[in-house]
Amino acid sequence: MISCLSLSSYSFCEKIALKKYRRCVKTGCIKRPQVVSGAKKDGFGLRVFVLSDLHTDYPENMAWVRSLSTKRHDKDVLLVAGDVAEMYDNFILTMSLLKERFEYVFFVPGNHDLWCRWETEDFDSLEKLNKLLDACKQLGVETNPAVIDGLGIIPLFSWYHESFDREDDIVGVRIPSLDMACKDFHACKWPGNLSNRDTSLALYFDSMNEKNQNTVKQIQSTCSQIITFSHFVPRQELCPEKRMLFYPNLPKIIGSDWLEDRIRSIHGVESSSFACHVFGHTHFCWDAVVDGIRYVQAPLAYPRERKRRMNGGETWLPFCIYLDGEFGAKVMPCYWSDYYAINPRTPSNTELAPWVARFYNLI
């Protein structure tokens, strides 16, 4: 049985936050095997697809999952980066449909997966997490690190914390509070000392990854290519600047510093073209290399967002990120990561973009 850490482990989580306990990614990362130019690569015939934010409580999204080809290839892998469904029954149905279509399915939980507001059973969000992980085990869905044809795949548990946001706030505009804008504060139920209002949840979920450290080290020592994936965002540069956002405080509820630390402890500080991290949550299609790691988001998102062709529709999903031992071509379209590929990020500029100013009736 897969289970979460007990609340008695919280003191250990607090230690992780202290500087002297922060892992040293420069000296602690195991040197991985090198890919020799011209050599036959592992993973020939292996295809890895990525997808996040399925939100199949929407009938249109569930219909999209059902519409995926039922032709199953022996070496097809799907990485599901969270927010499958709010309702437990819809989660089970969705993951069952995906497992019918892909030989290997990997999953990490998102915030919507842990909402409890409409469930018929009385449980908190940690109990629901255990229930989801147990269901995954029964369905044959992987939630732990594994190696498939020489490719290392490492799911990473995570949660956001407000202090992740270090950029200048937008002032002079009446922006709804986090409590009003983010349903997590009401739809999730946390026991004990865990709360959305501090770093406790980010630390708790990060510490869940500790049980896999031996497996991760084995993967690091044997695999030249590794894909890590999470639901939440590891770096603030992977989200548009606040002045571009209809909800400028979004960066306060999207990411975790401990997640990025853990990613770097796996891939290394400098990394290489053989390192990739997949994430979700913000619904912005993204594909960019930052400090040597390729970061990718491929969300299905909400039906209303797809109708606006916010991410170019849905026909390109799920996105094939790895084929025959090689990482795939760039995700298309990626409006925001393409924008930042040619425009510098200027978070000190807090003048609202025209479409945001119109939204707040400022122009």
Side-chain angles (χ1 to χ4, degrees):
M1 178 178 177
I2 302 173
S3 62
C4 298
L5 295 173
S6 67
L7 288 175
S8 62
S9 302
Y10 184 66
S11 60
F12 169 71
C13 300
E14 290 181 306
K15 286 184 178 181
I16 298 176
L18 299 177
K19 187 174 181 180
K20 66 178 179 178
Y21 285 97
R22 295 287 288 273
R23 61 181 58 80
C24 179
V25 298
K26 290 184 179 179
T27 59
C29 187
I30 295 175
K31 188 176 179 66
R32 299 211 305 274
Q34 297 296 308
V35 175
V36 180
S37 178
K40 183 180 182 298
K41 296 181 176 65
D42 292 326
F44 185 79
L46 180 68
R47 299 193 302 177
V48 179
F49 296 85
V50 297
L51 183 64
S52 72
D53 302 281
L54 285 77
H55 295 291
T56 55
D57 297 297
Y58 289 93
E60 301 96 321
N61 286 20
M62 184 67 82
W64 181 88
V65 172
R66 291 182 184 276
S67 73
L68 292 174
S69 172
T70 56
K71 183 180 179 181
R72 180 165 143 170
H73 296 268
D74 289 341
K75 290 189 175 183
D76 280 1
V77 180
L78 178 66
L79 309 184
V80 181
D83 276 6
V84 173
E86 175 182 353
M87 298 294 292
Y88 176 78
D89 290 346
N90 286 336
F91 177 89
I92 297 299
L93 175 57
T94 304
M95 299 308 286
S96 298
L97 291 170
L98 294 175
K99 194 65 178 70
E100 290 174 1
R101 289 155 171 77
F102 296 88
E103 182 174 3
Y104 305 98
V105 177
F106 287 76
F107 165 75
V108 291
N111 49 317
H112 285 251
D113 299 313
L114 303 186
W115 286 6
C116 301
R117 58 182 183 167
W118 305 123
E119 297 294 358
T120 55
E121 294 184 49
D122 184 20
F123 43 59
D124 64 32
S125 293
L126 287 189
E127 291 169 334
K128 184 174 183 183
L129 173 59
N130 276 330
K131 192 174 175 68
L132 296 180
L133 295 179
D134 287 342
C136 285
K137 188 173 183 179
Q138 293 174 15
L139 292 170
V141 172
E142 298 290 341
T143 59
N144 293 310
V147 177
I148 300 177
D149 283 8
L151 174 68
I153 299 175
I154 303 177
L156 293 175
F157 293 92
S158 60
W159 199 267
Y160 57 83
H161 57 97
E162 187 175 344
S163 55
F164 172 79
D165 171 28
R166 295 185 183 85
E167 296 183 348
D168 293 347
D169 284 333
I170 302 296
V171 296
V173 180
R174 192 170 181 176
I175 300 171
S177 67
L178 296 180
D179 286 42
M180 291 181 62
C182 181
K183 293 180 181 176
D184 295 348
F185 287 81
H186 312 285
C188 291
K189 296 192 295 184
W190 302 109
N193 296 322
L194 299 180
S195 171
N196 275 320
R197 303 178 192 281
D198 53 32
T199 60
S200 58
L201 279 168
L203 290 166
Y204 181 89
F205 276 83
D206 180 68
S207 64
M208 289 179 63
N209 298 302
E210 289 294 322
K211 66 181 175 63
N212 292 321
Q213 278 303 95
N214 289 337
T215 304
V216 169
K217 288 178 180 178
Q218 291 175 1
I219 290 174
Q220 288 176 299
S221 64
T222 58
C223 297
S224 59
Q225 297 171 307
I226 296 177
I227 301 176
T228 53
F229 74 105
S230 63
H231 178 66
F232 293 101
V233 181
R235 300 177 67 114
Q236 194 163 354
E237 306 100 295
L238 304 176
C239 180
E241 298 155 83
K242 293 177 183 177
R243 62 192 179 92
M244 308 290 195
L245 301 169
F246 288 116
Y247 185 59
N249 285 337
L250 181 67
K252 301 181 188 301
I253 49 175
I254 64 170
S256 168
D257 294 327
W258 292 281
L259 173 59
E260 174 67 4
D261 281 350
R262 195 167 288 274
I263 292 167
R264 292 287 158 177
S265 76
I266 294 169
H267 293 296
V269 174
E270 297 178 354
S271 199
S272 70
S273 59
F274 306 108
C276 180
H277 182 79
V278 176
F279 64 101
H281 190 54
T282 59
H283 295 196
F284 293 118
C285 186
W286 210 279
D287 194 341
V289 176
V290 183
D291 292 339
I293 294 178
R294 183 181 180 185
Y295 294 90
V296 173
Q297 181 174 192
L300 181 60
Y302 299 133
R304 64 179 180 272
E305 292 170 330
R306 293 201 306 283
K307 286 177 182 176
R308 298 199 311 264
R309 296 192 64 78
M310 176 175 140
N311 290 318
E314 61 194 40
T315 56
W316 60 279
L317 292 168
F319 174 65
C320 184
I321 199 169
Y322 185 88
L323 175 64
D324 290 344
E326 301 277 0
F327 282 104
K330 189 175 180 297
V331 174
M332 292 295 290
C334 278
Y335 177 82
W336 282 112
S337 56
D338 289 347
Y339 172 84
Y340 286 113
I342 58 177
N343 295 283
R345 190 179 182 88
T346 56
S348 59
N349 179 1
T350 58
E351 181 180 352
L352 295 178
W355 58 88
V356 181
R358 283 194 295 271
F359 180 77
Y360 286 97
N361 296 317
L362 298 180
I363 58 174

